Amino acid sequence: AMVPNDIVLGCMLDALVCNGQIDEALDLFRRLKSRVPGNTVLWSTLIKGFANTHQAERAMDAWREMRSEGIKMNTVAYNAVVDAQARVGAMDAVSTLVETMAVDGCMPDTITYSTIVKGYCVKGDLDKAFEVFRGMQKNRMAGDSIIYNTILDGCTRHGRMDLADILLEDMEKLGVVPSNFTLGILVKMYSRRRQLHKALAVV
């Protein structure tokens, strides 16, 4: 029988992961591992599958296995593991990962920090989310509405209207263009604050 190469296997794993079949993807990967060695791309695809299905611990296991096998880590792979932890608010694990990134010679990027902010929002720790966000602003990493939306959404869910107002002032001052998603969050936020006139003004 023909054995797929790593590119073909990568496509097969990606197709399974995108259809929510992470266990089947992992099974296929394990079956072919002796003939198609694991690499950063293949492992990252599996970790993305664990992230999508909120299986944070399995993502960490995969990361540990990668490192024990001496597979070279990169920022994309790390971002996938960080995302898996952030989605469930496992911020201690995120801290461990960010520390280990430095050891592995990987630099956190805008996606890493945005994901960390998202994790703190999931956990309900908006002060910490805001602290990381301020660091992003300082390093010119918060240029578009996506990161603002993440925190605004967190503020709305957790009733932190004090921070939401600061963010909106920032957006206006820095000329950050709101997206449709931003407007949706604002309508929800002003409705919760019983400020329907502001909700209507936004639209």
Side-chain angles (χ1 to χ4, degrees):
M2 277 182 65
V3 179
N5 63 15
D6 59 335
I7 294 169
V8 175
L9 179 58
C11 293
M12 291 162 79
L13 294 180
D14 196 51
L16 288 166
V17 162
C18 288
N19 283 292
Q21 294 176 280
I22 179 61
D23 289 324
E24 289 81 351
L26 189 62
D27 184 48
L28 179 66
F29 176 72
R30 296 264 186 239
R31 278 207 319 270
L32 293 173
K33 207 171 170 200
S34 59
R35 290 174 290 175
V36 186
N39 61 27
T40 316
V41 175
L42 299 177
W43 276 108
S44 297
T45 303
L46 291 172
I47 290 168
K48 186 176 78 176
F50 292 133
N52 291 346
T53 49
H54 291 84
Q55 298 185 65
E57 199 41 60
R58 289 179 80 186
M60 287 299 274
D61 289 341
W63 168 71
R64 289 186 197 102
E65 197 173 326
M66 273 179 90
R67 292 188 83 234
S68 71
E69 287 181 8
I71 291 166
K72 187 161 171 49
M73 295 295 295
N74 61 22
T75 302
V76 174
Y78 262 108
N79 284 345
V81 199
V82 169
D83 184 43
Q85 307 313 307
R87 286 182 187 218
V88 297
M91 300 315 290
D92 289 343
V94 168
S95 297
T96 301
L97 288 165
V98 173
E99 281 165 24
T100 318
M101 280 182 90
V103 177
D104 286 347
C106 301
M107 284 292 291
D109 60 9
T110 307
I111 294 170
T112 319
Y113 288 115
S114 300
T115 309
I116 293 169
V117 167
K118 181 176 76 179
Y120 281 122
C121 288
V122 167
K123 200 179 168 194
D125 190 346
L126 271 299
D127 290 312
K128 201 81 181 121
F130 210 72
E131 197 183 300
V132 177
F133 169 71
R134 280 290 188 233
M136 289 179 72
Q137 279 184 320
K138 225 176 269 160
N139 294 311
R140 303 193 181 286
M141 285 180 161
D144 60 25
S145 64
I146 296 171
I147 185 66
Y148 286 89
N149 291 343
T150 301
I151 308 194
L152 276 174
D153 192 46
C155 289
T156 303
R157 285 175 195 275
H158 297 283
R160 289 300 303 273
M161 302 313 172
D162 53 327
L163 291 179
D165 288 338
I166 295 169
L167 278 170
L168 292 172
E169 276 173 34
D170 273 8
M171 285 182 83
E172 206 168 312
K173 200 164 60 197
L174 300 169
V176 177
V177 182
S179 64
N180 284 335
F181 190 62
T182 319
L183 299 179
I185 296 166
L186 293 181
V187 168
K188 192 163 64 178
M189 182 183 83
Y190 286 129
S191 302
R192 286 191 180 175
R193 293 166 87 167
R194 306 278 189 272
Q195 295 176 323
L196 288 177
H197 61 290
K198 281 194 178 178
L200 292 169
V202 163
V203 181

